[in-house]
Amino acid sequence: MTNIVTLTFSPSVDKSFSSPRFIPSKKLYCSAPRYNAGGGGINVARALRRLGGSATAIFPSGGRTGELLAMLLRREEVPLVEVKVKSDTRENIMITELDPSRHYQFILPPPEFSAEEYEAVFQVLRGATAHLDYLVISGSMPANFPSDMFSNIRSYALQQDCRLVVDTSGTSLVHALEAGIYLAKPNLNELRKLTGLPVIDMAEAEAAAKGILSKYSCEALVVSLGKEGAMLVTRLNTFLFKGPDTDVKTTVGAGDSMVAGMIRFLSMGRSLQDAVKFGVACGTAATLHEGTELCHLADCERLYKLVKEVSR
């Protein structure tokens, strides 16, 4: 059995609801709220559960929101390990305006943790399992995230001989690449920031990704292209995958579903090329549902057959 752990430093409870129309200075009558566990790595673990796999979600948890987050994960039968912290877990809000159909996401900043709390998270990770195959670190990082955390995690991953997959942005992504990882999943905007170029389009993405791979210790980049699919870039090869056109209801959780799909196939012994193709299917599947519903296996399997490898 493949052992997978996800690590989320900025977990959340995502509250989603709808309102017929937004009118300034008027009372807006809304639907009953729906609550979902949220945060990059937590969503990856949730999606893996839906895909027939399993991952243990490790995350800092504080206050009543943290208690609700843990309850929501248990309801979905996601294995979890909470690390109790003083700050309350954040709550994000997703609102759908029905007429016209528009979506709004209100993302609150994650709380900062003390040095002792960061160390507690790391120690829980070290004791999570006797053997680890994949470690996924996903989501935004608190403003005071330690600059040496990825180096410490990388050392642990080397001891475990596990593959380290990172889906974050900004300075945290740079620190992860400098430490050394198996795979990262930047989008075009994140790729632009990594290279320092003012603009990067699809035509320039391959060269930019190759430059990143030559500069840092990373085996592969999966560049997320939104509705255009994804580009897998290694030092030797590049593959471009395009998902089918669908009626997009939300993009919330699409990236996390994509990571889950890739990890699911990799854990089954499939090639990285096939894993990215399935990841595109899972990311597309997540856009078919409102709120933070993530992907469903039946949709992923159907869409996987429709994902095309595109000639460049």
Side-chain angles (χ1 to χ4, degrees):
M1 179 179 177
T2 303
N3 285 323
I4 304 168
V5 165
T6 71
L7 188 53
T8 310
F9 285 97
S10 299
S12 65
V13 170
D14 294 339
K15 179 192 290 186
S16 58
F17 53 89
S18 62
S19 184
R21 197 168 190 179
F22 291 177
I23 303 174
S25 303
K26 297 290 185 180
K27 290 183 179 179
L28 304 178
Y29 293 93
C30 303
S31 65
R34 178 172 184 174
Y35 296 90
N36 287 110
I42 286 174
N43 280 338
V44 172
R46 291 175 60 215
L48 271 167
R49 175 72 179 172
R50 294 173 178 224
L51 297 174
S54 181
T56 299
I58 298 177
F59 57 92
S61 171
R64 292 184 177 180
T65 320
E67 293 174 1
L68 175 58
L69 173 59
M71 183 192 74
L72 291 168
L73 285 172
R74 291 189 182 101
R75 185 180 295 171
E76 294 189 59
E77 299 182 345
V78 174
L80 63 104
V81 181
E82 300 175 82
V83 183
K84 292 297 183 179
V85 294
K86 293 180 180 179
S87 299
D88 288 355
T89 298
R90 64 178 174 163
E91 181 179 81
N92 295 327
I93 298 174
M94 287 75 177
I95 306 176
T96 300
E97 184 181 17
L98 300 178
D99 183 22
S101 180
R102 290 185 289 204
H103 306 277
Y104 302 85
Q105 300 180 47
F106 299 88
I107 309 299
L108 300 183
E112 298 181 2
F113 306 118
S114 67
E116 292 76 16
E117 288 171 333
Y118 279 117
E119 179 63 21
V121 175
F122 181 59
Q123 291 305 321
V124 166
L125 169 65
R126 289 177 61 88
T129 179
H131 174 70
L132 189 60
D133 296 291
Y134 288 92
L135 173 58
V136 182
I137 303 177
S138 181
S140 59
M141 303 296 168
N144 70 337
F145 188 73
S147 59
D148 62 347
M149 180 61 79
F150 275 110
S151 294
N152 294 334
I153 292 173
R154 174 56 177 167
S155 296
Y156 167 72
L158 287 173
Q159 294 171 9
Q160 289 280 309
D161 192 26
C162 78
R163 287 174 166 176
L164 180 56
V165 177
V166 174
D167 183 13
T168 189
S169 60
T171 304
S172 297
L173 178 56
V174 173
H175 288 159
L177 290 167
E178 289 174 342
I181 58 178
Y182 169 64
L183 184 148
K185 190 192 73 62
N187 58 30
L188 286 176
N189 185 51
E190 290 158 357
L191 198 63
R192 175 185 63 79
K193 292 178 181 178
L194 284 172
T195 59
L197 297 174
V199 178
I200 290 181
D201 58 23
M202 280 187 57
E204 300 165 322
E206 180 180 5
K210 291 280 189 182
I212 297 300
L213 292 176
S214 65
K215 182 178 181 180
Y216 298 105
S217 178
C218 180
E219 292 189 34
L221 289 181
V222 177
V223 183
S224 176
L225 304 173
K227 65 179 181 180
E228 298 301 322
M231 180 182 293
L232 166 62
V233 183
T234 69
R235 287 178 173 81
L236 298 177
N237 299 297
T238 300
F239 305 93
L240 180 61
F241 299 97
K242 177 73 166 64
D245 292 329
T246 59
D247 180 16
V248 176
K249 294 184 178 180
T250 181
T251 59
V252 177
D256 299 326
S257 294
M258 180 179 178
V259 173
M262 292 190 293
I263 297 298
R264 177 58 178 153
F265 259 34
L266 288 171
S267 69
M268 295 167 62
R270 304 288 288 269
S271 69
L272 182 55
Q273 187 176 347
D274 281 344
V276 176
K277 180 179 177 180
F278 188 60
V280 170
C282 294
T284 303
T287 69
L288 303 178
H289 305 281
E290 298 282 3
T292 53
E293 183 64 21
L294 301 177
C295 58
H296 291 263
L297 180 58
D299 293 327
C300 297
E301 292 175 336
R302 173 176 58 85
L303 293 170
Y304 176 67
K305 301 174 183 177
L306 302 177
V307 176
K308 302 296 183 183
E309 184 176 342
V310 182
S311 300
R312 295 175 290 106

